[in-house]
Amino acid sequence: MSAAIIFALLIALMLTGMPISIALGLTVLTFLFTMTQVPIESVGLKLFTGLDNFQIMAIPFFILAGTFLTHGGVARRMIAFTTSLVGHWPGGLGLAGVATCALFAAVSGSSVATVVAIGSIMLPAMVDHGFPKRFGAGVITTSGALGILVPPSIILVLYGVSTNTSIGALFMAGVVPGILLATTLGTLTCIKACRAGYPRLPRANWALRFKSFRESVWGLALIGIVLGGIYGGVFTPTEAAAVAAVYAFFISVFIYGDLKLREVPQVLLNAANMSAMLLYIITNAVLFSFLMTSENIPQAMAAWIVEKHFSIVVFLLVVNFILLLAGNVMEPSSILLIMAPILFPIATSLGVNPVHLGVLMAVNMEVGLCHPPVGLNLYVASGVAKMGITELTVAVWPWLLAMLIFLVVITYVPVISLWLPRALGVM
């Protein structure tokens, strides 16, 4: 009954158009005030202790690094590099878009930043070379979602903080699925382009490839610095985020020079706005998790599922259904912060690996970014491509279907996620 009241209140507040963060906080306060004996002082204490976590500091630093890279000319140089490698293949510019989104996601950790940075350059170029706008928008919208899965993913950091799972193991678990998903999207792009007879670019010579690599190597090096530093024992994921922010500032301002010093305050303000929004959601989600735990709702759900002898196969199918359904009305960070503390104890009681659950949730969030009515990538790409949401929704369907098939594979073949972290001994 408590669970029904809590979720009914939360859904009712969300239906009024209230931001999810405020709806979470009001749900907690209303329930605590009217239906429990929990001292209200504990709310203030939980608000403070919820953010008093060293790992959470990684989030604003990764956001700052991504913001610097978006404004610092890194995307343009990565596009030139990937185009020189695969531009002569079928659907060359589309394939280059997929590859560049994967690379930029690996240095920014943000799907939205990837769509903005790559889409604003790649989409006009594809249209100029004879590709339909729908094709280009479909490629960039779905490939941009790789930012959620490819390390350093902010969503994986949130999952690690919410469930006390190793962020280092989560980052490594996202590598192989990220490469496989990028390959899947790239293959589909090639097939569609080949069938439609879309143009190819002339084959670039090795001198041009080396030149474009040399120009983009400063941005590409950030991948090695972050992941190499973490798994080489040089610094923690949080310290890696701080290093990434400083490095991104340095190359954007002093190496590439695309970002002027006078523009830095505005970049800092943009990053601060995004960080504040996310941290406010985290704070209220921590309160919501505290309420769920104090009412023993996750434990009761876990006991019920075990009592009914649910198999792992059925449980994971239900998890995917719930997360995909939630993706229709909420954005990824809110879904993860609400659902992870609920699903985590149930999954572990059934023997599901916590790292595998994190990757599974991340792939679900990727799908949610690309379908209406609240898919963030759809809205961002709509602004970049100047297309209506309905038209863009139709454009992304082939790639979205491929992502759903990939989700099924990731769900029931956990070795794809777990092989690399186990091989490296990080879990």
Side-chain angles (χ1 to χ4, degrees), residues 398-423:
W399 290 271
L400 192 58
L401 183 60
M403 293 172 75
L404 287 169
I405 295 171
F406 178 79
L407 172 60
V408 174
V409 174
I410 284 294
T411 300
Y412 295 113
V413 189
V415 70
I416 296 174
S417 307
L418 302 179
W419 171 78
L420 186 58
R422 281 173 176 166

Side-chain angles (χ1 to χ4, degrees), residues 52-64:
D52 187 22
N53 186 323
F54 181 67
Q55 292 181 319
I56 286 181
M57 291 174 61
I59 295 169
F61 281 126
F62 276 131
I63 289 174
L64 180 58

Side-chain angles (χ1 to χ4, degrees), residues 92-318:
L93 276 179
L95 193 57
V98 175
T100 310
C101 283
L103 289 175
F104 194 81
V107 297
S108 70
S110 168
S111 288
V112 173
T114 302
V115 173
V116 171
I118 307 304
S120 58
I121 301 171
M122 187 61 83
L123 279 175
M126 292 179 72
V127 172
D128 289 344
H129 281 82
F131 288 86
K133 186 185 286 187
R134 279 191 177 189
F135 180 84
V139 170
I140 300 301
T141 303
T142 49
S143 300
L146 289 165
I148 278 186
L149 184 58
V150 177
S153 163
I154 294 171
I155 287 293
L156 290 179
V157 174
L158 286 175
Y159 175 84
V161 170
S162 300
T163 61
N164 200 29
T165 303
S166 166
I167 294 175
L170 288 166
F171 278 1
M172 280 295 98
V175 171
V176 175
I179 292 172
L180 287 179
L181 181 55
T183 303
T184 301
L185 296 175
T187 302
L188 178 59
T189 300
C190 277
I191 292 171
K192 285 181 66 65
C194 195
R195 286 179 177 175
Y198 294 149
R200 309 184 189 191
L201 296 179
R203 182 187 293 269
N205 58 41
W206 283 103
L208 181 59
R209 290 175 179 176
F210 180 74
K211 178 177 180 292
S212 61
F213 171 74
R214 191 178 65 237
E215 291 176 349
S216 64
V217 71
W218 290 99
L220 296 172
L222 186 56
I223 304 171
I225 291 172
V226 170
L227 298 182
I230 292 173
Y231 302 107
V234 179
F235 35 64
T236 66
T238 302
E239 292 164 345
V243 170
V246 174
Y247 181 82
F249 164 76
F250 180 77
I251 65 172
S252 298
V253 175
F254 298 110
I255 302 296
Y256 292 149
D258 287 32
L259 183 66
K260 307 303 178 187
L261 279 173
R262 66 176 179 274
E263 298 170 339
V264 170
Q266 184 60 47
V267 172
L268 294 173
L269 184 60
N270 292 342
N273 284 336
M274 189 177 296
S275 299
M277 176 189 71
L278 198 51
L279 291 174
Y280 186 62
I281 294 173
I282 292 172
T283 302
N284 286 285
V286 166
L287 273 184
F288 189 78
S289 177
F290 163 70
L291 174 61
M292 299 292 284
T293 305
S294 69
E295 294 297 310
N296 289 318
I297 291 173
Q299 294 85 343
M301 291 174 67
W304 181 81
I305 287 175
V306 171
E307 180 185 332
K308 297 297 180 183
H309 304 292
F310 273 33
S311 67
I312 291 180
V313 173
V314 175
F315 171 72
L316 292 178
L317 181 64
V318 172

Side-chain angles (χ1 to χ4, degrees), residues 372-373 375 378-380 382 387-394:
L378 277 182
Y379 285 94
V380 174
S382 173
M387 294 171 63
I389 293 295
T390 304
E391 184 183 7
L392 190 56
T393 301
V394 174

